[in-house]
Amino acid sequence: MGLGSCMITFFGAFLSGFLFFLPISYSDKAPDYTFVKEATSAPAVVYYDYIIIGGGTAGCPLAATLSHGATILVLERGGSPYGNPNITNIANFGPTLLDTSPTSPAQQFTSEDGVYNIRARVLGGGSAVNAGFYTRASTHYVKEVGWNHNLVNQSYEWVEKVVVFKPEILQWENALRDGLLEVGVLPNNEFTYDHLYGTKVGGTIFDAEGHRHTAADLLQYADPRKITVYLHATVQKILFRYIPGRARPQAYGVIYKDAYGVWHQAYLKRNSSKNEIILSAGAIGSPQLLMLSGVGPAYHLRAHGIKVVVDHPMVGQGMADNPMNVLLIPSPIPVEVSLVQVVGITRFNSYIEGASGLSLSISLAHRLSNNFKRFLNQTEHPPFRVLPEAIARAAEMVHGIANRTIRAGVILEKIMGPLSTGHLALRNTNPDDNPFVTFNYFKEPEDLRKCIEGMRTIIDVVNSKAYSKFRYKNMPVEALIDLMLTLPVNRRRKHANATFLLEQFCIDTVMTIWHYHGGCQVGRVVDKGYRVLGIDSLRVIDGSTFYHTPGANPQATVMMLGRYMGQRILHDRLVHGSKKKN
């Protein structure tokens, strides 16, 4: 992993970032899930009512819900989040994203736009590697999608009973909140899960001890007698067949490999026509696996030697990623370790968030330290000279970095939507490899306009009285912008005028906030019930079905969607069963 990849991963890590039972209090101790096993222990052939591909942010709540009316198999290509301190401890957030090992819970990829990114590879999905911020979708979003408002709220509450907490707001996050209010991001909505214009404190999936709670915790809701979860189970393809009298193919099984490379097969039981395979592999994995199974643009599949089951030209289309741009602000005083807790939801539809004081690995700390030293040594770099006294003060930050603690904050902006979209294409036929992904950041001028407005708001916050004690007075904002341009935050070309033009700065320093979506969108690839168009017994339930990111962070809505659709599917199953009996 090169310096550039390390740097962008660090900055991403620094920024993001995020049936009712009584909740169980978890620490980093693994729960007693007797139904969670290594795939190496799986029989060669198994049969279940539902096969869920992906035990992620949507897959876990979906499986837990469905287990109360059917037998469930979950196939997760990653391992367990429990017992891994990099996942469970907030202070180790950065090292999780820097882990490049073959079993890392965060599999790295770089989009064709030259932006570094990661995709989750662990039980609990993105909720096991994100910055923990929890906020619901807006009422407008729920109405636009066509979900049942009451069932949506019940599903959110079901999630919140187990994995969501009210954060303790300390000095740095308080300063960010007060700065946002001072510059006019109003009203003050205080603590709420709701999506409201103004400034608010959202929920977090980190508890008071700094321990992460993930979608995997929602498996405590499951009926342990009816669910099996296999870890390190990588699905190779979905199997289809034609039934006499039906023109449409039907999904009926999957082939997967365990950690030793041994092949296994899982099939749907034939006891009900309602039995299904459900893809919950995420915005990268779901369209990729559909293509590998023969469902996608026919010309593209044939080019890879894949037999076409259904020519589905929209699979992999509509890929979008919310662009993120940031300022790193060295602080003259110590800052707490915090991930995203406060958000400013602006009227021009850009979200302003922040984080502070994360610990780093020693090697990465020294790399950042050296980069910052080089920047400080460029004191004659016109027109933003950093005064000697500012250099002396900033040396404290360098010392802190070398000793594994950043004395700084980062303020970021993420635009709503976005309108700009791209596509996903297969790199090869190996499901372990990342496909080609193009997001086309700022292709639509409206996205760029929102970024410029967002950066102007960040600059106003940095210059606000409320934030003043957390920045060096003799280091102008222009110098902070110049600093960002010296850091290899992505693989894109940097232009000299980016220091002066926010438009160019947005383009040159764009990063991801890991909220990518699309590839299997409703109305294009799946219907409103998330059934794959033109195929029986196959659904997709995850963020690949979204046209826009719900709210300031999608994880709450992805977890809600798993619960929501689980209830809908069970209801349809019970109604179908009652009709057969009658």
Side-chain angles (χ1 to χ4, degrees):
M1 181 178 180
L3 171 60
S5 183
C6 282
M7 290 303 304
I8 184 56
T9 305
F10 158 65
F11 279 105
F14 201 32
L15 308 172
S16 266
F18 227 8
L19 306 166
F20 284 86
F21 295 83
L22 290 175
I24 297 172
S25 178
Y26 284 104
S27 64
D28 56 353
K29 182 180 178 181
D32 186 22
Y33 289 159
T34 56
F35 51 83
V36 177
K37 309 169 183 179
E38 285 291 331
T40 51
S41 68
V45 180
V46 292
Y47 294 86
Y48 285 84
D49 295 327
Y50 292 94
I51 300 170
I52 299 175
I53 303 171
T57 312
C60 285
L62 174 64
T65 302
L66 289 176
S67 70
H68 289 273
T71 59
I72 311 299
L73 174 64
V74 179
L75 299 173
E76 167 54 46
R77 73 189 184 112
S80 171
Y82 303 108
N84 182 340
N86 283 351
I87 292 176
T88 57
N89 190 338
I90 188 173
N92 294 333
F93 174 54
T96 303
L97 304 183
L98 294 170
D99 183 358
T100 59
S101 68
T103 58
S104 168
Q107 182 180 3
Q108 299 180 6
F109 72 95
T110 302
S111 74
E112 299 308 292
D113 316 272
V115 173
Y116 304 111
N117 215 317
I118 65 106
R119 53 190 290 215
R121 180 171 51 192
V122 62
L123 188 67
S127 68
V129 296
N130 66 14
F133 191 65
Y134 182 96
T135 180
R136 296 182 179 187
S138 67
T139 53
H140 173 75
Y141 188 99
V142 172
K143 183 178 180 180
E144 185 179 51
V145 174
W147 292 330
N148 179 283
H149 180 76
N150 290 333
L151 185 56
V152 163
N153 286 341
Q154 291 170 14
S155 299
Y156 276 127
E157 291 167 5
W158 181 87
V159 170
E160 291 155 8
K161 283 178 178 287
V162 173
V163 302
V164 189
F165 305 87
K166 180 179 180 179
E168 180 183 5
I169 304 300
L170 300 178
Q171 289 189 41
W172 190 89
E173 291 280 354
N174 260 319
L176 173 60
R177 177 179 59 185
D178 293 345
L180 285 165
L181 295 172
E182 182 181 325
V183 304
V185 185
L186 300 167
N188 181 1
N189 293 307
E190 300 183 341
F191 172 71
T192 179
Y193 296 147
D194 293 337
H195 183 89
L196 304 168
Y197 284 119
T199 298
K200 73 167 191 172
V201 175
T204 178
I205 61 175
F206 289 98
D207 63 25
E209 285 73 46
H211 294 145
R212 180 191 295 274
H213 296 249
T214 76
D217 291 14
L218 298 171
L219 291 172
Q220 69 178 270
Y221 282 125
D223 183 340
R225 301 165 299 176
K226 294 184 178 179
I227 183 172
T228 301
V229 178
Y230 285 132
L231 302 176
H232 299 113
T234 303
V235 174
Q236 307 296 299
K237 65 185 298 186
I238 301 167
L239 302 174
F240 299 97
R241 65 185 174 196
Y242 287 90
I243 297 177
R246 290 188 184 180
R248 295 152 54 104
Q250 179 190 48
Y252 74 100
V254 302
I255 298 173
Y256 67 97
K257 281 184 179 181
D258 64 27
Y260 295 152
V262 176
W263 294 66
H264 302 257
Q265 299 171 50
Y267 297 104
L268 296 178
K269 292 181 180 179
R270 296 196 178 190
N271 60 340
S272 172
S273 62
K274 289 292 183 179
N275 293 350
E276 293 176 317
I277 293 169
I278 305 176
L279 257 174
S280 293
I284 304 296
S286 288
Q288 179 187 24
L289 193 54
L290 280 179
M291 290 185 188
L292 291 176
S293 304
V295 179
Y299 74 93
H300 182 56
L301 303 185
R302 292 191 182 106
H304 285 276
I306 298 171
K307 180 182 177 181
V308 178
V309 175
V310 174
D311 180 9
H312 236 309
M314 297 310 294
V315 172
Q317 300 299 307
M319 296 295 297
D321 187 24
N322 298 87
M324 177 179 74
N325 293 83
V326 312
L327 283 185
L328 170 67
I329 307 113
S331 172
I333 63 175
V335 296
E336 70 264 16
V337 173
S338 74
L339 294 178
V340 178
Q341 297 174 343
V342 172
V343 60
I345 302 174
T346 68
R347 294 283 176 179
F348 54 85
N349 292 320
S350 179
Y351 307 124
I352 313 299
E353 306 169 14
S356 64
L358 291 185
S359 297
L360 303 173
S361 66
I362 293 175
S363 61
L364 181 59
H366 281 290
R367 289 175 181 177
L368 182 54
S369 172
N370 291 336
N371 243 20
F372 194 69
K373 286 176 181 175
R374 284 196 296 272
F375 168 72
L376 292 177
N377 287 334
Q378 295 172 353
T379 54
E380 298 304 318
H381 183 68
F384 307 117
R385 276 176 40 180
V386 182
L387 300 179
E389 54 265 38
I391 295 176
R393 291 171 183 166
E396 297 177 24
M397 174 189 172
V398 173
H399 177 74
I401 292 172
N403 286 279
R404 304 183 65 188
T405 303
I406 287 267
R407 183 177 284 189
V410 251
I411 305 178
L412 66 94
E413 69 85 27
K414 159 197 162 180
I415 68 166
M416 189 187 78
L419 298 178
S420 304
T421 63
H423 63 279
L424 177 150
L426 294 177
R427 185 182 305 270
N428 53 41
T429 57
N430 185 350
D432 290 316
D433 291 346
N434 293 311
F436 295 111
V437 187
T438 304
F439 293 118
N440 289 323
Y441 297 101
F442 301 124
K443 180 180 179 181
E444 296 295 330
E446 179 65 10
D447 291 339
L448 190 56
R449 184 192 67 79
K450 292 176 183 176
C451 179
I452 294 169
E453 289 299 309
M455 290 306 303
R456 286 174 178 162
T457 303
I458 290 176
I459 291 170
D460 289 343
V461 171
V462 173
N463 287 328
S464 70
K465 181 179 178 181
Y467 192 79
S468 60
K469 71 178 181 179
F470 289 108
R471 62 163 300 195
Y472 289 102
K473 293 181 175 59
N474 294 322
M475 186 177 288
V477 168
E478 291 86 351
L480 301 178
I481 291 173
D482 206 30
L483 170 59
M484 292 304 303
L485 290 167
T486 69
L487 299 173
V489 297
N490 57 35
R491 293 183 179 175
R492 297 163 79 91
R493 178 187 172 194
K494 305 299 184 292
H495 296 78
N497 63 349
T499 300
F500 315 102
L501 297 178
L502 288 179
E503 175 181 3
Q504 195 65 53
F505 177 83
C506 286
I507 294 169
D508 288 359
T509 66
V510 64
M511 292 178 276
T512 183
I513 198 168
W514 311 311
H515 297 169
Y516 49 82
H517 50 276
C520 298
Q521 292 165 316
V522 174
R524 290 179 170 181
V525 177
V526 298
D527 64 17
K528 290 185 177 181
Y530 300 91
R531 303 174 189 88
V532 177
L533 298 169
I535 299 176
D536 291 332
S537 305
L538 180 63
R539 299 194 202 222
V540 180
I541 300 175
D542 58 27
S544 70
T545 63
F546 295 164
Y547 280 83
H548 303 290
T549 294
N553 188 296
Q555 77 162 340
T557 303
V558 176
M559 286 190 272
M560 180 281 295
L561 180 63
R563 168 63 174 173
Y564 178 93
M565 284 307 302
Q567 291 180 293
R568 290 278 304 272
I569 292 170
L570 277 188
H571 177 266
D572 291 347
R573 187 181 186 90
L574 291 172
V575 169
H576 175 77
S578 298
K579 287 181 178 179
K580 284 188 71 176
K581 289 179 182 178
N582 294 334

